[in-house]
Amino acid sequence: MPKRRRGSTTCESDSFSERLSEEDSDLSFSDVPTRRKAPKSTRKTRTSFQPPKIAENDASSTAPTHSISTHVVADSEIDEVRASLLEWYDKVHDVRGMPWRKRYDPSLGGEGRAQRAYEVWISEIMLQQTQVATVIPYYNRWMAKFPTIAHLAGSDIETVNGLWKGLGYYSRAARLLQAAQKVVKELDGRLPDNAKDMQAKIPGVGRYSAGAICSIAYNECVPVLDGNVHRLLSRFLALYAPPKGKQTLDVLWAGATAFVQNSSRPGDINQALIELGSTVCKVREPACSGCAISSWCRAYKRTQGASTELGVTLVLKHRALYAKPLPADDREAGLVTIYPMKVERKKAREELDIVHVIEWRKEYNSQRWFILVRRPEGGLLAGLHEFPTVPAVSDSLSTCGNDPEIVGKVLFNLFVNPPPPFFKEPNAQEVGCGNKGALRVAMIKPVGDVVHVFSHIKKTYRIQWVILEGGGDKPPELQSESCLSTVPTREMIEGNGKDKRRKVSRTPKGGNANTTPQWVPLEEVESANIGTGVMKVWKLTKALWE
């Protein structure tokens, strides 16, 4: 394959179907698996995988067969398909009012195109796992605050997280800041003008995002394959196969490439495919009659009584590709919604966290302060604040979340001079002991449970409200960042003979004094950089006194 030239309209010049005919001409699909022995002279020779050919007149095969080219966008029809797709897209371009969606302007210079790349980059990262209607106001506020990549690079994680608050998947915001600082420092303030470098050099940018940014901003002929395009092309090519399988993705990426190959409007084609998949070729109740490319859609043709041999699944077994028919008993078997193949979603793991809403007041009815601790820079909810939490406790602790011993260990890790132990009176809530003027635990009160579901974790937050009193005129001194290097784990709390503490770095690159636990006045808790789950915790707790 010739090397890809870089430029404003760089395209891969070779045809996918031509490469397919050269490399995989012996590949066909059948409902009947067939194995053939290699000639003795080649059995011990390790070569690249070449699936066996199953001829249509093979006596061992009674089922219909077809070539892999069935799942390829034909060169003979691509021009018509693209023309119809772009004609439709030109009509709907502005319908949903996306501020980042602009007409490609070939007159822009390098600086102008780099600015467009920045705008598209921000929108694409925001749109990951998030609906368009939700993103629009966040995007507008972001661009007002950070109109250029240089403005973003000069900011800090607290400001960035503040703008991102409520959008979810907070690691995206941290990666945007990290990437912007890298671009300004190492890349002369401009995002790369080609997808290969974009993916290699920009944190948080994968193949899809690189293709979207570079095709839209730089007019590079590179494909996109997000969830919408995956579904659209699975139906367009009648590809019933494990959706995340490598061979499935290879076929779909090749199909997406065929759409933009040698096009003068690759960015518009990619946006059109995404828009068509999102608004027309929907998961349920697709509007096939109004689809701009239904005339060429193999799945749609199948529902209209066309060839049934398209309904096969690709299965990798013993280094060979075999096929089996669509599930005839599936209620969607006669509909385009049978594509793509359904897979059983992996059940989110369940975890129980014990959350401590710790309050200090000099005395009853005086000003109230609450402790917030910033999470580590990596992982779930990176860089956000939360109430002191014991994460992922074991089942043995699930019924004793308000155990004073747990509270005591948490307070020990938080305070320079922690309060003395406290005891539980029979049939009463916990009551502190010690001198009245000294720092003491005045009350521990169970609040209840809050359930918050992430993409891969179902969290149950078991909340307890801890009230501290005394100790002076100001909130008691908290551990410095260097001292707060450990958090309690289930092993530590359960007292299994060893004090196993998990190291948690709370210092971002470059250092930041705001990474220490801190006291926050009552009226400022809701405006702090806390996630949606922590906000649920706060509202449930606050309901106890409102």
Side-chain angles (χ1 to χ4, degrees), residues 162-458:
L163 278 177
W164 202 272
K165 184 179 178 180
L167 197 56
Y169 298 94
Y170 291 89
S171 60
R172 295 180 295 173
R175 283 197 295 266
L176 282 172
L177 177 60
Q178 177 188 358
Q181 292 171 342
K182 178 179 181 180
V183 168
V184 169
K185 183 178 180 180
E186 302 177 12
L187 303 176
D188 198 27
R190 295 184 182 182
L191 288 166
D193 63 359
N194 64 89
K196 181 179 179 180
D197 286 345
M198 183 76 73
Q199 187 175 349
K201 297 180 179 181
I202 305 303
V205 172
R207 185 177 180 183
Y208 161 75
S209 296
I213 297 166
C214 292
S215 64
I216 296 170
Y218 297 120
N219 213 41
E220 184 184 12
C221 293
V222 284
V224 297
L225 189 68
D226 70 344
N228 291 314
V229 180
H230 186 295
R231 180 176 60 256
L232 174 69
L233 291 181
S234 292
R235 292 171 180 172
F236 186 79
L237 300 174
L239 184 61
Y240 187 80
K244 294 185 178 180
K246 180 185 182 302
Q247 292 169 319
T248 303
L249 294 175
D250 286 346
V251 171
L252 294 177
W253 273 110
T257 299
F259 271 86
V260 295
Q261 196 167 263
N262 298 321
S263 171
S264 61
R265 298 175 60 185
D268 285 343
I269 288 174
N270 283 335
Q271 291 180 93
L273 289 171
I274 296 169
E275 186 74 3
L276 191 67
S278 176
T279 62
V280 177
C281 194
K282 296 181 288 188
V283 176
R284 289 175 290 276
E285 299 182 1
C288 295
S289 60
C291 178
I293 61 174
S294 62
S295 297
W296 301 272
C297 177
R298 290 161 171 77
Y300 181 67
K301 288 180 179 180
R302 182 174 171 271
T303 67
Q304 305 303 304
S307 173
T308 60
E309 69 181 29
L310 303 181
V312 297
T313 177
L314 312 184
V315 181
L316 181 62
K317 187 181 293 185
H318 304 301
R319 292 179 57 80
L321 277 170
Y322 300 120
K324 65 180 181 181
L326 290 168
D329 57 343
D330 193 299
R331 63 184 180 84
E332 295 182 298
L335 306 174
V336 298
T337 49
I338 193 75
Y339 306 98
M341 177 189 285
K342 309 296 187 298
V343 293
E344 186 174 347
R345 288 191 176 185
K346 185 178 180 180
K347 185 179 179 181
R349 74 174 187 268
E350 298 185 8
E351 292 183 354
L352 172 67
D353 292 0
I354 300 178
V355 181
H356 304 83
V357 180
I358 302 175
E359 175 185 350
W360 175 86
R361 54 181 81 161
K362 180 181 178 182
E363 55 190 21
Y364 190 74
N365 287 333
S366 63
Q367 187 176 13
R368 306 167 66 180
W369 298 77
F370 293 82
I371 295 179
L372 289 178
V373 180
R374 185 174 169 186
R375 291 179 62 86
E377 286 302 303
L380 192 67
L381 304 175
L384 294 183
H385 291 86
E386 65 181 2
F387 297 106
T389 299
V390 179
V393 302
S394 66
D395 294 339
S396 63
L397 290 174
S398 62
T399 58
C400 57
N402 62 328
D403 190 327
E405 184 180 356
I406 298 176
V407 176
K409 291 183 181 294
V410 171
L411 296 178
F412 178 82
N413 279 274
L414 286 169
F415 289 93
V416 172
N417 297 304
F422 45 93
F423 62 92
K424 183 187 293 185
E425 291 184 344
N427 303 318
Q429 60 191 11
E430 288 74 29
V431 179
C433 62
N435 297 329
K436 189 171 182 179
L439 179 64
R440 67 188 184 90
V441 178
M443 183 184 74
I444 301 175
K445 184 178 181 63
V447 178
D449 290 357
V450 164
V451 176
H452 187 67
V453 181
F454 299 91
S455 60
H456 58 296
I457 304 174
K458 182 180 180 181

Side-chain angles (χ1 to χ4, degrees), residues 156-169:
D156 57 80
I157 190 62
E158 289 295 313
T159 304
V160 168
N161 277 340
L163 278 177
W164 202 272
K165 184 179 178 180
L167 197 56
Y169 298 94

Side-chain angles (χ1 to χ4, degrees), residues 12 21 29 39 76 83 97 101-102 106 131 153 192 215 263 287 324 348 400 415 443 454 457 464-465 483 500 533:
E12 288 188 341
S21 63
F29 297 90
S76 60
R101 181 175 283 179
K102 301 176 182 178
Q131 294 182 347
S215 64
S263 171
K324 65 180 181 181
C400 57
F415 289 93
M443 183 184 74
F454 299 91
I457 304 174
Q464 47 192 355
W465 178 23
C483 293
K500 295 183 179 179

Side-chain angles (χ1 to χ4, degrees), residues 32-65:
V32 180
T34 302
R35 296 185 64 183
R36 294 193 176 191
K37 296 182 179 180
K40 291 183 179 180
S41 60
T42 62
R43 284 182 189 175
K44 295 183 180 181
T45 304
R46 301 185 69 88
T47 59
S48 60
F49 166 52
Q50 291 291 335
K53 180 178 180 180
I54 304 175
E56 292 190 12
N57 59 358
D58 192 329
S60 65
S61 176
T62 59
T65 64

Side-chain angles (χ1 to χ4, degrees), residues 440-510:
R440 67 188 184 90
V441 178
M443 183 184 74
I444 301 175
K445 184 178 181 63
V447 178
D449 290 357
V450 164
V451 176
H452 187 67
V453 181
F454 299 91
S455 60
H456 58 296
I457 304 174
K458 182 180 180 181
K459 284 277 192 182
T460 297
Y461 297 120
R462 183 149 295 162
I463 315 161
Q464 47 192 355
W465 178 23
V466 181
I467 298 180
L468 306 177
E469 292 181 353
D473 295 331
K474 297 180 180 180
E477 184 180 1
L478 298 171
Q479 294 271 22
S480 66
E481 177 199 348
S482 59
C483 293
L484 191 64
S485 60
T486 59
V487 296
T489 65
R490 68 180 66 174
E491 292 89 351
M492 171 187 170
I493 291 172
E494 291 168 357
N496 60 359
K498 294 183 179 180
D499 186 10
K500 295 183 179 179
R501 301 191 180 195
R502 176 165 54 92
K503 290 284 185 177
V504 177
S505 173
R506 298 188 183 274
T507 308
K509 292 182 180 179

